[in-house]
Amino acid sequence: MDGATTDGTTTDGTGDYPGLPVERARELAAERGWRTVRAVAPDGPLTMEYRSDRLNLAVRDGVVERAWTG
């Protein structure tokens, strides 16, 4: 299974998201089992709690620049 797994690990390649429109990235993340997808500005503030079921997307002008877990 791709995405977030029940034991808190991830098997999803975060390198698949940069360059995608944010809505397509959200769809892909949902298809891969991510429970939570957070889109933020590249320089935006973030909370520091780690969540194994969350995929973070840095988005500028509607396009994903970076993706990471937690």
Side-chain angles (χ1 to χ4, degrees):
M1 174 181 161
D2 290 323
T5 62
T6 56
D7 67 357
T9 61
T10 59
T11 59
D12 190 11
T14 56
D16 295 342
Y17 297 93
L20 293 178
V22 67
E23 288 308 316
R24 176 60 193 130
R26 286 182 181 276
E27 291 169 2
L28 182 59
E31 291 168 10
R32 292 181 171 181
W34 287 99
R35 294 182 199 176
T36 305
V37 178
R38 175 170 65 172
V40 297
D43 300 327
L46 298 174
T47 57
M48 296 305 294
E49 85 280 1
Y50 181 85
R51 291 187 46 194
S52 62
D53 65 338
R54 179 172 57 205
L55 178 68
N56 298 290
L57 304 173
V59 179
R60 185 186 318 267
D61 298 326
V63 178
V64 177
E65 289 188 349
R66 178 177 170 243
W68 70 100
T69 61

